[in-house]
Amino acid sequence: MNRRHFLMTSAATALISLAPRAFAQGSPAASDTSARLNATFDQIFDMMIDSSPESATALGLDKGKRAAMKYKLDDNSLTGVQDDLAQTRKAMAMLDAFNGATLDDKDTLNLACIRYSVERGLTAPGKYDLSSIARPYRIFQQGGAYFEQPDFLASSHTIATREDCDAYVSRLTAFATQLDNDSDVQKAYAARGYLAPAWSLDLTLGQMKALRAQPAESCSMTRSLADRAAKAGIDGNWAEQATRVITDKVYPALDRQMALLEQLKPTTAAGDGVWRLPRGDELYADALEYSTTTRMTPEEVHQMGLAQVKEISAELDRILKANGLTKGSVGARLTALNVRPDQLYADSAEGRAALLKSLNADYLKVKALLPRAFANPSNAPLEIRAVPVEIQDGASNGYYRRAALDGSRPAIYFINLKDVGDWPKYGLPALTFHEGVPGHHLQISTMQEAGTLPILRRVGGYSAYSEGWALYAEQLADELGAYASPLERAGYLQSFLFRAARLVVDTGLHAKRWSREQATQYMVDVTGFARPRNQREVERYCTQPGQACSYKVGHAAWTRARAKAQAALGSKFDLKAFHEVLKDGAMPLTILEQRIEARTAAALKA
């Protein structure tokens, strides 16, 4: 199991029913079992954190008895992968001790989620000898130490004391080690056929060269340390120390990695989907289950996507016609709307600043509407930032990074501003409602603040649950009247169309052997988004199989569960009460629907 990814984005499927039933909740034996179970959860969490310095930093736990962890990075070596597997097996054995135990409803839910998350962690290393099935390539355009660590050091490693500065320099040395470890692992994976497509390696090399081209004394990693130390009033020659490590260790390791990729690139198999890999069809089925927390087949997902593309396109057609956009297909009309001068920000520093200002305005607007749909919604702070320029070529279009548990670092919503033409104005509100509130930020902050949940569940997650919620949040924003115009509402529907098209494209790439070019053209024709944006998305799907399907599969589960609750409760349905399920923490989709059914049954009896 990749420890950091488990703690941040676990994926799972329910194994047991969570329908209401009787438990011996008040008995001393049940109380003792509950205490032992929760102590076991804490032991597993500590075990994972103590072996993952990056998780400790991301969660704000690299202090006190764990202060030394701030000087280190995760072990990403071949040995580290096997250590992850051994640790996962140990965690499973600890959970197996509670097989058949009498548990109350809360403990049953916690055990179901944690147990299957741990079990899913066995698949990649145990079945395929890989660190991840959702990211089967060690180095690609969105993965590897070269891609992750400069951003991690800049946005997760806090600088408040001299010790923090020393730790940063130490981590630069560890970064060089990670680069060499990645090279060793990728070389071993490539020998078994697990190597990214040639175009991905070209993108990767381009980003590495851009990082390497920065003079060490003025590169982003040096500036991040020196500027923040100066702002905090910490004396010292920090720029000089960082420059020395980058010059002597980081850049030589990066040079070695670039040389390796150039050497390996001619050996990579033809094609774009994971069908090209050893046991590729089997791997994709596992990756799809991992990301969707369902047992839907690739064909079922593909057909679901085609049906939803048709349905959403019809609704968009009506809105576009009502607003004078009548010529061509829905995709063609959206494409025309995307390039209208009134929908574009200037391709300049001022234009990018204006775009970020608009995102903040939308965030504040919808935040004020939350009390209409949520009881005491979280008020956790959120920063909105552009993706760092060094990684924007390969980075996703938008993504969310959770806050540290202790509040030492706020949550961040990143948007890729490489090309402002990717972001017509009418589509931006939906993105903010997805990444911010009532989307990822509200859901994850609510979970992190749920003190009754074991910490292992407060920091874990499921892509289908969270991404499904974020799409549901875009829909909820519409119900709250957050879209200011019919065109902004068209932007929200375009977002849904985009996610429906992903179902078609992801399964097309990996199960039907579509090419990257074929998939990109389908996205352009259907969604109306600019070709460069669609191509970056398709390139992500090629190298991270299954994850793109979690959005719409998850959204369908959320909307299906709410519709059932409304039908059963009638006039007794309370939207605020329905949303209280967020405080139960993230869970696989099957458990989610059962959990909402149980809540509905309880409300009917009240």
Side-chain angles (χ1 to χ4, degrees):
M1 165 175 51
N2 184 304
R3 292 155 289 192
R4 185 178 174 198
H5 288 161
F6 172 85
L7 288 164
M8 305 307 168
T9 57
S10 304
T13 302
L15 286 178
I16 63 173
S17 171
L18 289 173
R21 60 185 191 216
F23 298 101
Q25 295 187 30
S27 70
S31 177
D32 179 65
T33 300
S34 179
R36 288 190 297 108
L37 178 65
N38 282 281
T40 298
F41 292 155
D42 288 343
Q43 284 179 298
I44 293 173
F45 175 79
D46 287 340
M47 186 169 68
M48 292 178 176
I49 285 292
D50 290 341
S51 60
S52 177
E54 293 170 39
S55 294
T57 291
L59 295 172
L61 300 176
D62 56 354
K63 47 182 65 71
K65 67 178 183 179
R66 292 192 175 102
M69 298 186 77
K70 196 164 187 176
Y71 289 74
K72 304 173 184 178
L73 295 175
D74 288 1
D75 179 3
N76 64 332
S77 65
L78 283 167
T79 300
V81 174
Q82 292 307 307
D83 288 346
D84 282 350
L85 178 58
Q87 188 180 85
T88 305
R89 287 173 172 160
K90 181 178 179 180
M92 278 300 302
M94 294 166 69
L95 296 174
D96 282 345
F98 295 91
N99 289 346
T102 299
L103 302 171
D104 65 17
D105 179 65
K106 171 177 64 68
D107 288 340
T108 299
L109 173 64
N110 291 334
L111 181 58
C113 293
I114 292 171
R115 178 184 175 84
Y116 207 72
S117 293
V118 173
E119 189 167 66
R120 289 300 85 195
L122 294 170
T123 304
K127 188 173 180 180
Y128 299 99
D129 193 18
L130 297 170
S131 57
S132 171
I133 53 171
R135 298 161 67 92
Y137 309 119
R138 175 51 71 98
I139 303 173
F140 60 103
Q141 82 277 6
Q142 288 188 344
Y146 87 92
F147 183 87
E148 297 160 359
Q149 294 309 339
D151 183 38
F152 172 79
L153 289 169
S155 59
S156 296
H157 184 107
T158 55
I159 299 291
T161 67
R162 177 175 294 274
E163 289 72 23
D164 293 339
C165 296
D166 286 332
Y168 187 105
V169 175
S170 178
R171 276 181 158 167
L172 283 177
T173 300
F175 175 32
T177 300
Q178 279 199 339
L179 287 168
D180 282 332
N181 287 343
D182 269 351
S183 296
D184 291 342
V185 173
Q186 183 57 84
K187 186 175 181 179
Y189 282 7
R192 295 192 288 119
Y194 294 97
L195 181 64
W199 55 260
S200 172
L201 297 178
D202 284 335
L203 286 172
T204 301
L205 284 163
Q207 293 181 132
M208 289 178 174
K209 290 172 183 175
L211 178 63
R212 180 65 176 85
Q214 300 177 49
E217 64 274 12
S218 60
C219 74
S220 59
M221 290 178 287
T222 300
R223 293 198 315 272
S224 175
L225 173 60
D227 292 350
R228 288 190 289 158
K231 185 176 181 180
I234 304 169
D235 293 333
N237 57 346
W238 304 112
E240 181 181 333
Q241 290 189 51
T243 298
R244 184 164 55 250
V245 175
I246 291 168
T247 300
D248 295 345
K249 297 182 178 181
V250 174
Y251 280 174
L254 190 59
D255 288 339
R256 290 190 289 272
Q257 191 163 100
M258 288 190 289
L260 174 67
L261 294 187
E262 293 284 9
Q263 175 188 338
L264 293 176
K265 189 172 66 170
T267 71
T268 196
D272 301 310
V274 294
W275 57 265
R276 60 195 279 279
L277 304 178
R279 302 167 67 189
D281 292 339
E282 190 178 357
L283 187 149
Y284 182 55
D286 284 335
L288 197 61
E289 180 179 343
Y290 182 92
S291 288
T292 66
T293 69
T294 74
R295 294 191 180 276
M296 292 181 71
T297 66
E299 185 60 27
E300 288 171 335
V301 173
H302 192 80
Q303 292 303 320
M304 176 184 178
L306 290 172
Q308 292 205 0
V309 164
K310 182 178 180 180
E311 177 185 337
I312 298 165
S313 294
E315 189 172 357
L316 267 166
D317 180 51
R318 291 189 290 272
I319 294 176
L320 294 173
K321 282 180 177 176
N323 285 270
L325 296 163
T326 61
K327 296 181 180 179
S329 67
V330 167
R333 280 176 275 165
L334 289 171
T335 299
L337 182 59
N338 287 346
V339 296
R340 266 182 21 186
D342 66 305
Q343 291 298 323
L344 297 178
Y345 286 97
D347 187 10
S348 63
E350 293 76 16
R352 287 171 172 79
L355 189 155
L356 289 170
K357 183 178 179 180
S358 78
L359 301 185
N360 279 283
D362 286 331
Y363 164 63
L364 294 175
K365 177 176 70 174
V366 77
K367 188 176 179 182
L369 300 174
L370 294 182
R372 289 168 46 187
F374 299 89
N376 302 312
S378 170
N379 194 37
L382 174 69
E383 290 186 7
I384 303 177
R385 300 184 190 174
V387 170
V389 294
E390 313 88 71
I391 62 170
Q392 65 184 7
D393 285 356
S396 299
N397 288 317
Y399 54 95
Y400 174 82
R401 177 169 294 156
R402 68 172 70 212
L405 287 176
D406 64 355
S408 60
R409 178 183 47 73
I412 305 169
Y413 149 29
F414 285 99
I415 183 169
N416 193 330
L417 298 184
K418 174 182 171 62
D419 185 353
V420 292
D422 287 344
W423 301 114
K425 295 176 183 179
Y426 75 96
L428 286 171
L431 179 70
T432 295
F433 305 152
H434 181 108
E435 302 292 348
V437 297
H440 287 318
H441 183 55
L442 178 65
Q443 179 256 308
I444 292 173
S445 297
T446 299
M447 184 171 66
Q448 288 193 173
E449 294 166 5
T452 58
L453 290 176
I455 191 168
L456 196 56
R457 290 202 60 223
R458 281 190 280 139
V459 302
Y462 306 86
S463 183
Y465 176 99
S466 295
E467 297 298 353
W469 170 267
L471 279 189
Y472 169 77
E474 294 181 40
Q475 177 180 322
L476 181 62
D478 184 39
E479 296 171 10
L480 293 174
Y483 298 105
S485 68
L487 283 184
E488 285 192 359
R489 190 168 184 278
Y492 135 67
L493 289 171
Q494 185 185 30
S495 168
F496 272 31
L497 181 61
F498 179 52
R499 272 46 181 249
R502 282 174 161 179
L503 300 178
V504 179
V505 166
D506 196 86
T507 52
L509 286 163
H510 299 296
K512 296 180 178 296
R513 303 196 174 193
W514 285 16
S515 68
R516 177 179 60 140
E517 293 74 21
Q518 181 181 358
T520 300
Q521 189 60 53
Y522 178 85
M523 294 289 282
V524 170
D525 292 343
V526 168
T527 69
F529 285 132
R531 182 174 295 274
R533 176 178 175 179
N534 278 317
Q535 182 164 312
R536 282 199 302 274
E537 286 289 328
V538 167
E539 288 164 350
R540 175 162 75 91
Y541 314 153
C542 289
T543 53
Q544 297 174 66
Q547 195 273 338
C549 298
S550 62
Y551 296 71
K552 254 311 186 164
V553 171
H555 173 253
W558 275 104
T559 54
R560 184 168 57 242
R562 176 172 154 178
K564 286 182 179 179
Q566 286 178 294
L569 290 168
S571 62
K572 295 181 71 174
F573 179 78
D574 183 332
L575 186 60
K576 292 182 181 181
F578 174 79
H579 291 151
E580 285 291 285
V581 74
L582 288 180
K583 295 178 181 177
D584 285 342
M587 58 192 83
L589 296 182
T590 309
I591 291 183
L592 172 67
E593 295 194 67
Q594 292 173 351
R595 192 71 177 169
I596 291 173
E597 288 173 3
R599 283 175 162 269
T600 300
L604 282 169
K605 294 177 182 178

